[in-house]
Amino acid sequence: MGETTMTADDTRAAVLEEAGALFTLLGRLFHGVPDRELIAGVADGGLFDEMPFATSADAEAAREKLAAWTSQCASPFSDDDFHALSADYTRLFVGARRVLAPMWESVYFNKDRMVFQHQTFEVRAAYARYGLEVDALSHEPDDHLAYELLFIGRLCHMGAEAARRGDASETDRVVADAVSFAVCHPMTWVPQWRALVERHARCDFYRGYAALVDAALRQLEGELGSACARVAAA
């Protein structure tokens, strides 16, 4: 039996599936309060040992931070590990008086650190163009980091589906929207957020996570940004 040769569409679909898987995982990890089962799966399963899509030197450095955290955890992941992680989450992202590393885009663009600013509604409009909306029961603004990452993951998966169908123009359109959203939204504030996390975090999990988010966004722009030029030229 002869070898199966991957077409250009197959290769593109595979890359987009990897990007979609990574951004979806990153979004899920910060969707709501820490999920013990999900985080235990990350620690016990070594999910960051071989990361999909993110292959840059910065991503590797982030992986090393996450590996360092994993090595410090009990095997299997223990209640003490989870309580330490949850305490750091509360201190960093909830706060008693002041949130040390806010996870909402709007906060980074007004001196009063207010949420539900115009960035929130721009993000909401981007979701709506794909028939998506934030779950009202979450009580989180639309420009929360988790939602922005989940949206990018969703678009990458949609682009992969279009590539498998051989629909190059639809693939380009969806991927261009993913890259444009990343550049116009999370990439405008994630570097500042990452710096705050690195300054204030007590465990390597959040330092590694923030570094990985930053690296993945930059790789998305660098590796898939050519779709924007093709859409603009069409």
Side-chain angles (χ1 to χ4, degrees), residues 46-63:
L47 293 188
F48 288 115
D49 290 348
E50 294 184 8
M51 293 179 299
F53 184 68
T55 57
S56 66
D58 288 341
E60 176 61 20
R63 190 199 67 77

Side-chain angles (χ1 to χ4, degrees), residues 129-156:
R129 284 195 289 274
Y130 281 87
L132 303 172
E133 62 181 11
V134 168
D135 180 0
L137 296 178
S138 71
H139 304 295
E140 287 287 2
D142 304 65
D143 58 351
H144 187 282
L145 176 62
Y147 294 132
E148 294 193 351
L149 297 176
L150 288 168
F151 180 59
I152 293 170
R154 177 71 172 268
L155 293 187
C156 288

Side-chain angles (χ1 to χ4, degrees), residues 6-17:
M6 289 187 68
T7 67
D9 287 335
D10 291 335
T11 300
R12 196 175 187 197
V15 170
L16 289 169
E17 284 288 7

Side-chain angles (χ1 to χ4, degrees), residues 5-232:
T5 302
M6 289 187 68
T7 67
D9 287 335
D10 291 335
T11 300
R12 196 175 187 197
V15 170
L16 289 169
E17 284 288 7
E18 288 188 356
L22 178 58
F23 280 103
T24 299
L25 174 60
L26 292 173
R28 286 184 61 208
L29 283 169
F30 259 50
H31 187 214
V33 297
D35 181 326
R36 190 193 190 290
E37 184 176 351
L38 177 60
I39 293 171
V42 169
D44 293 336
L47 293 188
F48 288 115
D49 290 348
E50 294 184 8
M51 293 179 299
F53 184 68
T55 57
S56 66
D58 288 341
E60 176 61 20
R63 190 199 67 77
E64 289 176 358
K65 287 188 176 73
L66 291 163
W69 168 76
T70 300
S71 69
Q72 294 165 4
C73 294
S75 182
F77 190 70
S78 70
D79 288 341
D80 287 343
D81 294 325
F82 181 67
H83 291 154
L85 194 73
S86 296
D88 209 17
Y89 178 95
T90 300
R91 196 177 60 83
L92 287 168
F93 310 120
V94 179
R97 297 181 180 177
R98 179 182 175 87
V99 181
L100 294 176
M103 294 187 291
W104 310 278
E105 179 179 339
S106 295
V107 169
Y108 293 87
F109 296 96
N110 68 89
K111 63 185 173 110
D112 296 319
R113 292 163 60 97
M114 296 176 64
V115 296
F116 287 109
Q117 302 302 295
H118 75 268
Q119 291 86 3
T120 310
F121 301 104
E122 288 177 355
V123 167
R124 182 178 297 176
Y127 301 163
R129 284 195 289 274
Y130 281 87
L132 303 172
E133 62 181 11
V134 168
D135 180 0
L137 296 178
S138 71
H139 304 295
E140 287 287 2
D142 304 65
D143 58 351
H144 187 282
L145 176 62
Y147 294 132
E148 294 193 351
L149 297 176
L150 288 168
F151 180 59
I152 293 170
R154 177 71 172 268
L155 293 187
C156 288
H157 283 306
M158 291 176 65
E161 292 172 3
R164 283 194 295 268
R165 295 196 305 268
D167 190 339
S169 62
E170 176 66 5
T171 305
D172 281 347
R173 184 185 70 81
V174 174
V175 173
D177 282 350
V179 174
S180 178
F181 180 85
V183 169
C184 294
H185 292 289
M187 291 181 73
T188 64
W189 64 278
V190 160
Q192 298 175 65
W193 174 78
R194 173 188 175 183
L196 291 172
V197 173
E198 290 182 341
R199 183 185 312 160
H200 297 295
R202 289 176 178 166
C203 70
D204 279 327
F205 177 83
Y206 292 119
R207 294 189 191 96
Y209 174 89
L212 180 55
V213 169
D214 193 15
L217 288 167
R218 284 185 279 114
Q219 185 157 339
L220 182 81
E221 180 190 19
E223 190 164 332
L224 304 180
S226 57
C228 296
R230 288 195 293 271
V231 168

